[in-house]
Structures are given as C-alpha cells and as structure tokens.
C-alpha cells in the first residue's frame, strides 16, 4: 500500500490513540511489524503547543519508519498552521482526526462531531492539503449516529479535497466504543472512492483482520485497542495475511524482554512523569491478549503505587522471578 510517495512495509497499521501511541509505543509496534504507526492526536490550538504533553507528542526526530502525525481541530486556518508546524518538526504525513468520539473533543466541534458539518469538513481538508507538501490522510467514523451514517458522503468529499488515504472506524460517534463494529459502510466507502481505504474497529486477531479485509475490500487494516499490551499482534497479522498460518505466540522470555524495554523507554522519554504513564501499559501487558501471563491483581496494585522509576523496574524483575519459580 502507498500513501503519496511512501510505500508501506505492509498493510497493517497502528491506530492513533490519545495517551497511548506515544513515541516509545510507536517504535515498539513498528519493530514488531506495524507497517505504519500514527501519532496520538495533537491539538491545532497553538496556545497549547508548549505544554509538556504537546511537546512530548511533537517529538518525531527519532521515529522509526514513516512519520505520520495526527492533528485535531475545527478551524481551517488553525488546522493548516498545525499541519505546517508538525511538518517543520519532522512529520512526513499529516493525518486529520474526524473520528474521536470523546466529549471534550466533540464539544469543540472537533473529532467525529465534524461529520455533522460536511461543508466545514470540506473547508478543513482543502485548507490543510493546500498548506503542506506532504500527503494528508483522514480518519473518520461511519457517521455521527446509526441513523445518520454519512461516511460515503464524507469519503467523497475527502477524495475530492486531495486526501490520499482514508481510515474508517466501523462505529458512529454515538456508538462510542460500544457494541460491535459494522463493516458494511466501510465496504460501501471502498466501492465509492479510489483512494486507499483503511478498515478500523475490533481488529483484535489475525483471523479478524483477514475477515475484515476480505469483506470490505479495504487496502489495509488499522489496529487500535487490540495492540494495547499486545504489540506482537502486528507480526501475527502480517504473517497470517501472507501465509494463512498462525505465527507462534511470544515466549515468556520475549514478553519479559519487551516489557522491560518498554518500561525503560517510558522512563527515559517522560522523565518524572514516566512511572505514572507506565502503569496503564504494564496493566495491559498483564491482561487481555496475553492470556498465558498470570495477571496478578496484587502486583498491579503494588506497581501502581510506585513513583520511583528504579523501584518500578525492580518490582517488575521480582514479578518475573516469582513467575519463573512457579
């Protein structure tokens, strides 16, 4: 799959997730097979660009692979400025967020709330595309409510505005993350436009990725929550799509190695904030997709109370030693 001049290594992409897809996690997912990793959402409001959170999100210089940066907002001029600013900081692709259903984003008429305003969508897309000389992509939902699925209309506007790839989450804004994703709208969008379409929503296994690609005809799949605590999902999906066979699951030794590396990277990247950021990631590793790791609620409670980086590392080592002794 290509996005503008960029040829992706494969068609399995890490979705942008606020508070999750920071540089340490993007780097890890690319190393483990993601063909592209999109940054967490950045506000188009220049007044917040100098906050610690925004500055951390704008670090792209040491990025593995293609640097794709997502921006969010509702003012066409500010969105254009945000795109230019991030290109100057090293972004090679600008992704526009019109899919986030969070209330704090939607109340500013950003994210998926924009799907109710096709004319404003068109103005934003044209403004951003005209402002930068890198490819611009877009992420949307199927509509703003089940009775208002206008994804095909928005997709056509995007193609006409010069958007070079479109990611679609198979839920509406009103659905949030409830229920199951539906893929009929994504299929209809793929049939209606000629730019690459990326299917997103409930892709949590290699088999589901294959099923979604086959049903929708999409050019790629995008993995979001399925990658939390499970960065191995990318190599597993790529292997299954290429061979039809399941990839061997990660060994206990590899899981421990990746968790150590990830914890180190978070401490280094965030400094004093690192231990707090690390808590959710360690919690995800200990549950969900990694069923063969004994998820110790007591360990998670103890770990989440630790503020010191070295103490977190020591606690994790003790946990692994205790596992080995069982």
């Amino acid at each position: 799959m290509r996005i503008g001049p960029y040829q992706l290594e494969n068609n399995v992409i890490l979705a942008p997730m606020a508070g999750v897809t920071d540089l340490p996690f993007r780097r890890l997912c690319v190393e483990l097979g993601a063909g592209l990793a999109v940054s967490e959402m950045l506000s188009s409001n220049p007044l917040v660009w100098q906050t610690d959170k925004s500055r951390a999100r704008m670090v792209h210089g040491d990025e593995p692979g293609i640097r794709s940066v997502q921006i969010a907002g509702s003012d066409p001029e500010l969105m254009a400025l945000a795109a230019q600013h991030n290109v100057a900081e090293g972004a090679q692709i600008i992704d526009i967020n019109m899919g986030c259903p969070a209330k704090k984003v939607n109340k500013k008429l950003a994210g998926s709330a924009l799907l109710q305003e096709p004319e404003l969508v068109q103005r934003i897309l044209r403004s951003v595309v005209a402002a930068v000389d890198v490819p611009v992509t877009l992420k949307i939902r199927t509509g703003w409510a089940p009775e208002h699925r206008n994804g095909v209309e928005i997709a056509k506007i995007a193609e006409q505005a010069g958007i070079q790839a479109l990611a679609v989450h198979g839920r509406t804004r009103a659905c949030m993350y409830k229920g199951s994703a539906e893929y009929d709208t994504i299929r209809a969008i793929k049939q209606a436009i000629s730019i690459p379409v990326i299917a997103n929503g409930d892709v949590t296994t290699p088999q589901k990725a294959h099923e979604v690609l086959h049903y929708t005809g999409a050019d790629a799949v995008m993995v979001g929550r399925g990658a939390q605590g499970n960065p191995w999902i990318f190599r597993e999906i790529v292997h299954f799509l290429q061979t039809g066979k399941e990839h061997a699951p990660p060994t206990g030794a590899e899981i421990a190695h990746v968790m150590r590396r990830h914890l180190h990277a978070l401490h280094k990247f965030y400094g004093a904030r690192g231990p707090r950021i690390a808590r959710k990631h360690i919690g995800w590793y200990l549950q969900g997709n990694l069923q063969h790791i004994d998820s110790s609620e007591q360990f998670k409670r103890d770990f989440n109370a630790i503020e010191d980086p070295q103490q977190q590392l020591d606690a994790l080592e003790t946990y692994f030693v205790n596992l080995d002794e069982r």
Side-chain angles (χ1 to χ4, degrees):
M1 176 179 159
R2 295 186 67 88
I3 299 179
Y6 300 111
Q7 177 68 48
L8 274 59
E9 291 288 333
N10 57 62
N11 62 342
V12 187
I13 298 170
L14 172 65
M17 293 179 282
V20 180
T21 55
D22 53 22
L23 182 58
F25 191 62
R26 296 197 303 274
R27 184 182 292 124
L28 188 58
C29 290
V30 169
E31 289 178 6
L32 288 168
L36 179 69
V38 185
S39 80
E40 52 189 328
M41 177 177 62
L42 289 158
S43 172
S44 63
N45 180 0
L47 297 178
V48 303
W49 290 350
Q50 296 307 312
T51 64
D52 289 343
K53 181 182 290 188
S54 291
R55 284 202 300 269
R57 292 182 177 184
M58 289 183 185
V59 175
H60 316 306
D62 195 23
E63 189 93 22
I66 302 163
R67 299 186 293 274
S68 177
V69 177
Q70 188 180 76
I71 59 174
S74 59
D75 183 285
E77 292 185 8
L78 288 180
M79 288 287 281
L81 287 174
Q84 291 173 336
H85 179 78
N86 282 284
V87 169
E89 293 290 325
Q92 294 171 303
I93 295 174
I94 293 295
D95 185 58
I96 297 175
N97 183 320
M98 293 189 184
C100 179
K103 289 182 179 180
K104 67 179 181 179
V105 175
N106 285 186
K107 71 180 182 181
K108 299 176 183 177
L109 196 62
S112 57
L114 286 164
L115 300 177
Q116 299 173 89
E117 306 286 345
E119 291 185 3
L120 179 55
V121 167
Q122 183 181 60
R123 285 167 42 215
I124 291 171
L125 299 185
R126 287 181 173 176
S127 180
V128 174
V129 168
V132 293
D133 58 1
V134 303
V136 179
T137 60
L138 174 65
K139 189 169 191 289
I140 65 171
R141 288 191 163 221
T142 55
W144 71 87
E147 62 274 20
H148 295 292
R149 288 193 174 100
N150 64 336
V152 171
E153 177 190 6
I154 299 296
K156 290 179 179 179
I157 290 172
E159 183 175 38
Q160 293 166 1
I163 293 300
Q164 297 198 35
L166 177 69
V168 187
H169 183 111
R171 289 180 174 85
T172 67
R173 172 199 175 191
C175 294
M176 299 292 288
Y177 296 99
K178 299 175 184 176
S180 300
E182 62 91 10
Y183 305 107
D184 290 336
T185 304
I186 300 177
R187 186 178 186 177
I189 287 171
K190 176 57 186 173
Q191 294 171 350
I193 61 177
S194 59
I195 60 175
V197 173
I198 303 160
N200 177 226
D202 294 352
V203 178
T204 56
T205 67
Q207 293 79 4
K208 186 62 178 247
H210 179 270
E211 174 189 327
V212 169
L213 284 170
H214 178 74
Y215 182 77
T216 63
D219 301 274
V221 287
M222 179 172 273
V223 182
R225 290 172 293 165
Q228 293 175 354
N230 187 18
W232 299 275
I233 193 172
F234 296 100
R235 74 178 182 196
E236 291 171 356
I237 292 176
V238 170
H239 183 79
F240 188 81
L241 294 179
Q242 291 177 348
T243 69
K245 299 178 181 179
E246 293 186 5
H247 191 286
T251 64
E254 183 183 10
I255 293 170
H257 174 68
V258 167
M259 288 176 69
R260 288 187 190 101
R261 281 189 54 212
H262 196 175
L263 188 54
H264 271 293
L266 290 168
H267 292 163
K268 181 178 178 181
F269 186 73
Y270 286 105
R273 293 195 297 138
R276 295 198 174 193
I277 301 293
R279 293 169 183 169
K280 58 189 173 188
H281 288 280
I282 296 301
W284 288 327
Y285 280 113
L286 297 172
Q287 64 186 17
N289 294 316
L290 303 180
Q291 299 290 343
H292 52 291
I293 283 188
D294 177 24
S295 178
S296 168
E297 292 301 319
Q298 184 60 52
F299 170 74
K300 284 191 285 186
R301 284 194 293 271
D302 292 344
F303 187 88
N304 289 345
I306 299 172
E307 299 283 351
D308 179 74
Q310 187 58 52
Q311 289 180 16
Q312 278 194 338
L313 290 164
D314 292 342
L316 193 60
E317 288 303 321
T318 301
Y319 181 72
F320 293 141
V321 169
N322 291 338
L323 279 182
D324 290 340
E325 292 177 349
R326 290 178 186 177

